[in-house]
Amino acid sequence: RQQRRCWHEKDGAWHLVYRGPEVCAAVSGLSPGASLRLRVCATNVMGPGPFSDVRVFSARTLPPTPPDAPTFSQLQAESVKVRWAPPETLNGSVVAGYRVEMREVPADAADCLPIVHPRTHSPGGSGGGGWTTVFIGVTAAAMSFKATRLKPASRYEFRVAADTTEGSVNGGGGGGG
């Protein structure tokens, strides 16, 4: 009976990752974005045949973890400095920049701060619910922003999204004033 064997090169050695009759197989345990070198050979009662040419594949990247909720400093009556940290895990993605969205919190909302917006994964753009994009950083190094023209004695909520090669990933929000 004919079988196929698929070999994966890792650390300079070839490792068997599939043995069976199927013409396709899933390789598991790969890191997102990792390069993968594979070769295949068929076997039957006479023994193994020659190996195929080596094919190089890249494991699919995944969205990174969202940025944490922003922190705030330099609180003034009409401005606040918003800071954030990059995603903890990139999963093979590349951060191209960040986007900050803001919304005013109604006066009758709960009094506790920070107001935390649940982490969401969205395809990008301003979400509904009164969110307005107030900053777009076109480099991964841009991790702070000064929000100005705020209404004195008003409360605001901010959230940060990482714009990556896999789309945008919204992080947690936080109250800031």
Side-chain angles (χ1 to χ4, degrees):
R1 180 173 178 168
Q2 186 173 0
Q3 284 196 340
R4 289 161 187 83
R5 294 181 183 178
C6 181
W7 299 78
H8 162 55
E9 184 183 33
K10 183 176 180 180
D11 302 326
W14 289 94
H15 304 275
L16 182 65
V17 293
Y18 174 76
R19 177 185 299 158
E22 303 300 324
V23 295
C24 64
V27 178
S28 61
L30 302 173
S31 297
S35 180
L36 178 68
R37 294 171 43 90
L38 295 173
R39 65 183 183 178
V40 177
C41 75
T43 62
N44 59 24
V45 294
M46 300 298 290
F51 282 105
S52 67
D53 291 337
V54 174
R55 298 286 311 259
V56 179
F57 300 91
S58 292
R60 187 172 77 82
T61 58
L62 300 171
T65 56
D68 287 336
T71 59
F72 307 96
S73 63
Q74 301 175 18
L75 267 63
Q76 303 292 320
E78 296 179 0
S79 67
V80 64
K81 180 111 178 202
V82 182
R83 293 184 181 273
W84 57 92
E88 189 173 314
T89 306
L90 293 177
N91 290 325
S93 295
V94 175
V95 174
Y98 294 95
R99 188 171 13 89
V100 177
E101 295 176 342
M102 174 185 87
R103 68 179 173 186
E104 189 172 353
V105 178
D108 60 353
D111 288 331
C112 61
L113 282 179
I115 298 165
V116 177
H117 184 75
R119 290 183 177 199
T120 58
H121 295 267
S122 74
S126 289
W131 291 103
T132 301
T133 300
V134 293
F135 173 79
I136 297 175
V138 293
T139 68
M143 290 189 287
S144 69
F145 159 73
K146 187 167 186 175
T148 59
R149 298 185 184 161
L150 304 178
K151 296 177 195 172
S154 295
R155 294 178 48 210
Y156 294 86
E157 185 176 17
F158 294 84
R159 67 181 180 185
V160 178
D163 293 327
T164 73
T165 54
E166 292 299 311
S168 292
V169 181
N170 287 344

